[in-house]
Amino acid sequence: MTDHRPGSWRRLFAVIAAALTCSAGALLVIQSPAAAGALRLTQSPAAAFEPKTPPLSTPWTDQVSTVNPLPEYPRPQLTRPDWQSLNGIWQFSGAADLDTPPVNTALGEEVLVPYPIESALSGIMRRQDYSYYRRSFTVPTGWSGRNVQLNFGAVDWQSKVWVNGTLLGTHEGGYDKFSYDITAALRPGANELIVGVWDPTDSQDIPVGKQRLGRGGIWYTPYSGIWQTVWLEPTHAARITRLDTTPNVSAGGLDLVVQAANAGGLPVTAQVLAGGTVVGTATGTVGSSFRIPVPDARLWSPDDPFLYGLKVTLAGGDVVGGYFGMRSLGKAMLGGVLRPTLNGKFAYQLGTLDQGYWPDGISTAPTDAALRFDLEQQKALGFTMVRKHIKVESDRWFYWADRLGLMVWQDMPALASGREPSAAGRQRFERELKEMIDEHKGITSIVQWVPFNEGWGEYDAGRIADTVQAWDPTRLVNHNSGSNCCDSDPDPGNGDVIDDHMYVGPGITRAPSATRIAVNGEYGGLGLRVPGHEWPTAGKFAYEWLPDSTALTDRYVQITGKLVDLINGNGLSGSVYTEPTDVEEELNGFFTYDRRIRKMDFARVREVHLRVLGAANGTTLPTNRLASLRVTTPGYTDRYLRHRDGLARTDVITTGSSATDRQDATFFVRPGLANAACYSFESRNFPGRYLRHREFRVYNEANTGGSFAADATFCARPGLSGGGTSLEASNMAGHYLRHRNAEVWIDRDTGGSFIDDATWAVSAPLWRSGAGLSVGQKRSFRVTTAGYDNRYLRHRDGLARTDVITTGSPGSDRSDATFTVRAGFADTSCYSLESVNFPGQFLRHAGYRLQRSADDNTALFHQDATFCAQPPLNGGAGNVSLESLNYPGYHWRHYAEAVYIAVHGGGNTWDSPGNYAADATWHDADPLG
């Protein structure tokens, strides 16, 4: 991989060391009133400053230099060879306002820049509404004759900057870069630099993300002041200020707009480099787009995050370096489902909710190695995307995302939740939103902008989404991640993304549309406590607690494995797990907050991720589950593969079609009869019969021996049309299952519509029950667990439980244990169970407890009261397991006499894996009452 930083590290460290020799830690002291302005440098010894002890230390805490912290070049996208870091020890004091800068006045404390003052690494470790920073610097003599720029990575929130008593300006915005040309304010020798900061956090309407003065739970310690690198660089008067790079794969080049100061209309020359070799050159003018050819481009992706180098020369002498990845972004109807695309192909976005907090540096990673570590670990786990959650990171974070190959959803830091934003707050939000987008247009890894989260501070969401799309039409816009949740305003219906949050989940409540992809923007939040590695405050939080690492891993694998069904059956295109590390009271990470303990078995985590990604590329199907195969050929996507009179064909089938048609179009996906790495499709309503090819035609037949097992085995391949799944005959290479004139054959590529006809969407089953109950009949459900099989499910005082009931029991007990089977409220391929002695009342789950309730005619009730009959988890003739429709994977389960919907190994007591299969298996018995 080409390193695009300027020069070699040896050269950078030499430059830094030379600069530090004359300026690090230097303080300005007034000798006497008569000597006002006559300054002398006093060296502050390193031993005089010590960072405070953080509540938790990370492996990098002790590696932080008090002389030269974060020494890496801070701006990999606009590099120059000469620069001087101003990170290090500054003077510090709290203040009452920003109107009285301490010019020529020593301050009483020391702070380590660039760590926010609330952090232990800063040495302050407290909050201030107003504060002043002060230090001196000396401009290297080799910079003579050039302008000097003073650059700030980020200061939260409002800052004023003075050099030698001259106010350079006021900046507002806690997450964006800013610079001042300080040439006119400089003098020979030592120069005084003062930075004043006001940070109201959530007491004012400003973008704050997760920061809160009243921290706790999901709200975290605020961070104030200078929190990214401060540095000097010499430039020409006419200088480049930004490179807006847009890869144009279809045109075979890089579209570039060079932004510059004091250089209107000047010509620029740009060179693209691969491995140090120039591969393309073009000339344009400042402020106008021009294209540099990139022949035979090597495309950037998570699998191959190749980066090109970029060198741009401005007439007049300014030369800067940079980098970019060639890639295209978009959305397309693939396999009959709208999908996000990377380089023209569906790229499932498997991500984490990365919040970027550190116990020692709060918002600022202690070292660059630490910053890289978080991203490297997520990449190693098999994630392909990171959702940077309502925080904007340093340029180096984005550099590592680009270089490691992780797609990024970039959130806008939210205004405070729970209140309507003021006019001033809206103005600030939109100004900072524009800055965030403008400053990051050249980041290869960013694939999606997210202006709002769960409605926090939300207003005019439709207009904001359209505005963001106008500012950057090259990326997808997610108007509000979690628009089904919390403070969200009604979904305006625009943007490119439908984004549901579901804890524990995963899941989505809405299908993708013709214009918007569907993602699960947050799920998970599984918690595990690790004593000795927790933030030392009360109120620990997770969405579900697990007792140990094995149980946590089991549960993670279980819930994340559901993504396979959601991708295939519900059109899911992305998911975000909460979260990579614990954060303060939130204990739901893969790592503890100090990054010292892995809380899960990472090999098993990676394994389930590979299965999920396999489902997205069409090669992994859900086994021993029901599914239907939908046609993806344009104009025929309402047709499904079904068997009729023994022949396979396609027909238009809907949820309103007859039960026979829906069952004929539903199959159990089994491991392949001839090759367990492939698949066989068993008829839902004719057990033991499979789809098989015979003389190229496809039938639904019972095993006849001979070549049957091979004929009935199909290997899943990436969809030939670019999405979905294609099914290749295991014993006839190059022959695929395809429909033709409503008939189903195996065939070679014959051109025409073949690639569409041979691509199938493995979708949610048209008939969801894998076992049957008798609609309209009265039935009772007997426990099958050994030693308790004289007990029956019954309701008592409205709650479901199990009791010993016999033909000699009181009539009321026998009636309580008897139910009339009805077609499911929310899905007629499932069932609802009506009490015989309380007509109009049905079994439903609420708070996981199974109970008897009256039908209130709401959608939620109808979902909670619908259960799909499935083959018994513990086997046995006449037995059945009842699965919740809206909580897939949760079954009726008796536990300590009470009855719940429970999942094997979940975080609730009643989810205990012991005896789960038996406890969740019921005998479909004759009615007791």
Side-chain angles (χ1 to χ4, degrees):
M1 178 63 64
T2 301
D3 193 331
H4 302 283
R5 290 164 289 189
S8 67
W9 284 113
R10 185 184 304 275
R11 180 182 178 188
L12 286 181
F13 286 135
V15 171
I16 295 166
L20 289 169
T21 299
C22 63
S23 66
L27 304 180
L28 293 167
V29 180
I30 295 297
Q31 299 305 303
S32 67
L39 306 175
R40 71 175 177 85
L41 294 175
T42 61
Q43 187 71 25
S44 174
F49 175 86
E50 288 289 341
K52 288 188 165 53
T53 302
L56 287 174
S57 67
T58 70
W60 305 274
T61 302
D62 294 337
Q63 297 177 19
V64 173
S65 167
T66 59
V67 174
N68 188 24
L70 298 182
E72 295 79 13
Y73 190 84
R75 192 179 57 198
Q77 278 286 36
L78 190 70
T79 62
R80 294 185 176 94
D82 298 325
W83 69 292
Q84 176 179 320
S85 175
L86 296 184
N87 292 346
I89 300 169
W90 295 40
Q91 293 180 356
F92 180 83
S93 73
D97 54 47
L98 299 187
D99 299 327
T100 54
V103 177
N104 297 336
T105 303
L107 304 180
E109 298 178 89
E110 291 180 328
V111 62
L112 187 63
V113 170
Y115 301 99
I117 60 173
E118 292 84 353
S119 71
L121 290 177
S122 74
I124 302 299
M125 208 174 177
R126 71 171 186 272
R127 173 177 167 72
Q128 297 280 166
D129 283 347
Y130 295 91
S131 56
Y132 284 109
Y133 295 74
R134 181 173 178 267
R135 68 158 293 155
S136 71
F137 65 89
T138 301
V139 176
T141 56
W143 295 7
S144 178
R146 288 185 281 177
N147 288 32
V148 178
Q149 310 302 320
L150 171 62
N151 302 313
F152 293 85
V155 179
D156 198 6
W157 175 75
Q158 183 192 82
S159 65
K160 292 184 177 182
V161 178
W162 294 263
V163 169
N164 297 324
T166 299
L167 176 64
L168 300 178
T170 300
H171 178 267
E172 292 185 348
Y175 300 92
D176 57 300
K177 302 184 285 285
F178 59 100
S179 301
Y180 297 107
D181 188 321
I182 62 173
T183 309
L186 293 173
R187 60 191 171 201
N191 291 270
E192 180 187 47
L193 170 60
I194 295 173
V195 179
V197 176
W198 171 53
D199 185 11
T201 312
D202 57 326
S203 68
Q204 297 278 333
D205 274 353
I206 64 172
V208 290
K210 283 289 194 84
Q211 303 178 68
R212 292 294 185 273
L213 295 175
R215 55 159 310 283
I218 68 166
W219 310 112
Y220 311 140
T221 300
Y223 43 90
S224 305
I226 300 170
W227 67 278
Q228 291 184 25
T229 292
V230 186
W231 80 102
L232 300 173
E233 63 176 345
T235 69
H236 293 77
R239 66 187 185 279
I240 298 169
T241 57
R242 197 174 75 221
L243 302 176
D244 293 342
T245 55
T246 303
N248 193 327
V249 173
S250 61
L254 176 74
D255 292 339
L256 174 65
V257 179
V258 177
Q259 309 289 355
N262 306 317
L266 283 180
V268 289
T269 299
Q271 295 176 310
V272 171
L273 302 94
T277 300
V278 175
V279 297
T281 303
T283 300
T285 57
V286 166
S288 298
S289 179
F290 65 100
R291 183 170 299 149
I292 312 111
V294 185
D296 302 317
R298 181 174 168 183
L299 301 185
W300 182 96
S301 72
D303 293 331
D304 183 20
F306 180 78
L307 299 175
Y308 285 92
L310 181 64
K311 180 181 179 181
V312 181
T313 303
L314 177 67
D318 195 20
V319 180
V320 298
Y323 72 89
F324 65 95
M326 283 294 287
R327 55 100 180 100
S328 66
L329 303 173
K331 55 186 180 179
M333 196 66 69
L334 299 173
V337 178
L338 192 70
R339 299 293 195 183
T341 59
L342 175 67
N343 302 326
K345 298 178 181 179
F346 172 34
Y348 185 81
Q349 297 174 9
L350 180 72
T352 64
L353 194 76
D354 188 321
Q355 307 203 66
Y357 274 76
W358 298 83
D360 45 12
I362 308 298
S363 61
T364 306
T367 68
D368 193 61
L371 190 74
R372 177 175 179 168
F373 174 85
D374 274 9
L375 292 174
E376 282 182 322
Q377 293 302 306
Q378 292 172 71
K379 179 75 173 184
L381 283 171
F383 287 105
T384 63
M385 178 268 288
V386 174
R387 180 181 170 202
K388 179 46 64 175
H389 190 40
I390 54 179
K391 180 192 177 192
V392 184
E393 291 284 3
S394 69
D395 286 354
R396 293 200 61 80
W397 186 92
F398 289 102
Y399 169 71
W400 288 123
D402 288 344
R403 184 171 173 181
L404 293 169
L406 282 161
M407 293 179 282
V408 174
W409 295 3
Q410 180 58 55
D411 289 11
M412 173 63 193
L415 296 167
S417 59
R419 66 186 187 223
E420 190 70 16
S422 64
R426 297 180 186 208
Q427 185 180 44
R428 291 163 176 165
F429 180 86
E430 292 183 46
R431 183 178 66 245
E432 293 188 40
L433 175 63
K434 180 68 160 56
E435 285 293 329
M436 180 185 77
I437 292 170
D438 283 349
E439 289 180 8
H440 295 88
K441 284 181 177 178
I443 300 298
T444 300
S445 53
I446 295 177
V447 300
Q448 184 181 124
W449 300 116
V450 187
F452 295 109
N453 175 77
E454 293 184 349
W456 301 346
E458 183 183 8
Y459 67 94
D460 296 351
R463 178 181 65 81
I464 295 293
D466 288 343
T467 299
V468 171
Q469 191 77 76
W471 288 338
D472 182 6
T474 71
R475 293 176 172 91
L476 300 190
V477 177
N478 179 347
H479 86 279
N480 179 21
S481 182
S483 56
N484 66 320
C485 175
C486 314
D487 296 343
S488 295
D489 294 336
D491 186 340
N494 61 341
D496 300 299
V497 184
I498 295 169
D499 185 331
D500 286 347
H501 289 181
M502 187 173 290
Y503 287 103
V504 169
I508 52 176
T509 63
R510 297 170 290 172
S513 70
T515 59
R516 301 200 292 174
I517 66 169
V519 301
N520 186 177
E522 293 181 29
Y523 82 97
L526 303 177
L528 173 66
R529 300 200 63 170
V530 183
H533 298 272
E534 297 177 3
W535 193 249
T537 52
K540 299 299 185 282
F541 174 83
Y543 289 92
E544 182 178 297
W545 292 104
L546 282 305
D548 54 47
S549 177
T550 299
L552 178 66
T553 304
D554 288 346
R555 183 69 167 128
Y556 180 80
V557 169
Q558 181 185 66
I559 67 171
T560 298
K562 293 179 182 178
L563 295 172
V564 171
D565 291 337
L566 292 167
I567 293 166
N568 288 319
N570 300 79
L572 186 71
S573 289
S575 53
V576 179
Y577 180 77
T578 302
E579 60 195 314
T581 74
D582 295 348
V583 180
E584 299 193 357
E585 283 88 5
E586 282 197 65
L587 303 183
N588 42 29
F590 291 105
F591 281 92
T592 52
Y593 192 23
D594 55 12
R595 276 76 165 174
R596 294 183 183 275
I597 303 295
R598 294 181 174 190
K599 298 170 71 175
M600 297 189 205
D601 180 336
F602 278 19
R604 292 184 61 204
V605 169
R606 180 174 173 81
E607 181 182 30
V608 73
H609 290 167
L610 293 178
R611 281 200 288 121
V612 170
L613 295 173
N617 70 23
T619 59
T620 299
L621 306 183
T623 55
N624 299 314
R625 300 290 301 273
L626 293 171
S628 294
L629 298 174
R630 182 172 57 77
V631 170
T632 67
T633 306
Y636 298 90
T637 56
D638 55 353
R639 302 180 73 90
Y640 288 81
L641 186 151
R642 57 87 57 87
H643 59 82
R644 191 168 72 188
D645 302 325
L647 283 170
R649 55 174 287 117
T650 66
D651 280 329
V652 175
I653 303 178
T654 70
T655 55
S657 297
S658 70
T660 298
D661 287 350
R662 293 164 68 193
Q663 291 176 8
D664 283 355
T666 301
F667 302 88
F668 279 104
V669 181
R670 304 295 192 192
L673 297 176
N675 180 353
C678 298
Y679 302 93
S680 294
F681 297 89
E682 183 181 12
S683 169
R684 155 65 182 82
N685 50 345
F686 290 92
R689 294 174 62 168
Y690 292 82
L691 293 178
R692 62 86 58 97
H693 65 86
R694 177 163 49 84
E695 296 178 348
F696 300 101
R697 189 74 190 270
V698 178
Y699 300 84
N700 174 46
E701 293 183 343
N703 192 340
T704 56
S707 65
F708 181 89
D711 293 345
T713 300
F714 301 88
C715 299
R717 309 297 187 207
L720 296 175
S721 67
T725 295
S726 291
L727 296 164
E728 184 179 20
S730 69
N731 56 351
M732 294 184 69
H735 286 73
Y736 292 86
L737 193 73
R738 66 87 57 95
H739 63 90
R740 186 175 62 207
N741 297 327
E743 299 172 347
V744 180
W745 300 74
I746 60 164
D747 202 355
R748 287 185 179 275
D749 188 348
T750 55
S753 63
F754 177 84
I755 63 171
D756 290 321
D757 296 348
T759 301
W760 303 86
V762 182
S763 62
L766 286 162
W767 193 266
R768 290 181 178 271
S769 288
L773 299 178
S774 299
V775 173
Q777 300 297 307
K778 295 179 180 179
R779 307 301 293 169
S780 295
F781 296 92
R782 181 172 55 80
V783 170
T784 66
T785 307
Y788 299 90
D789 55 2
N790 59 347
R791 303 178 74 89
Y792 285 81
L793 181 145
R794 58 86 57 91
H795 58 81
R796 190 169 76 189
D797 300 325
L799 293 174
R801 53 174 288 118
T802 66
D803 280 328
V804 175
I805 303 178
T806 69
T807 55
S809 296
S812 59
D813 286 354
R814 289 185 285 120
S815 295
D816 285 353
T818 305
F819 304 87
T820 303
V821 179
R822 305 294 187 193
F825 280 121
D827 189 313
T828 57
S829 69
C830 300
Y831 305 96
S832 294
L833 286 301
E834 184 178 16
S835 169
V836 297
N837 52 347
F838 288 87
Q841 298 197 30
F842 295 79
L843 290 178
R844 63 86 59 93
H845 63 84
Y848 298 102
R849 186 72 187 267
L850 199 65
Q851 51 198 269
R852 187 197 77 231
S853 297
D855 177 14
D856 62 8
N857 206 35
T858 63
L860 178 62
F861 179 91
H862 288 170
Q863 292 170 3
D864 290 348
T866 300
F867 304 92
C868 302
Q870 304 298 358
L873 294 175
N874 208 40
N879 293 343
V880 67
S881 291
L882 280 301
E883 182 181 23
S884 168
L885 174 75
N886 55 346
Y887 281 59
Y890 286 72
H891 298 84
W892 289 5
R893 192 262 177 96
H894 64 87
Y895 186 85
E897 299 184 351
V899 181
Y900 302 88
I901 60 163
V903 66
H904 184 277
N908 300 309
T909 304
W910 53 85
D911 296 326
S912 168
N915 284 330
Y916 178 85
D919 292 350
T921 298
W922 305 81
H923 186 70
D924 177 15
D926 291 333
L928 287 166

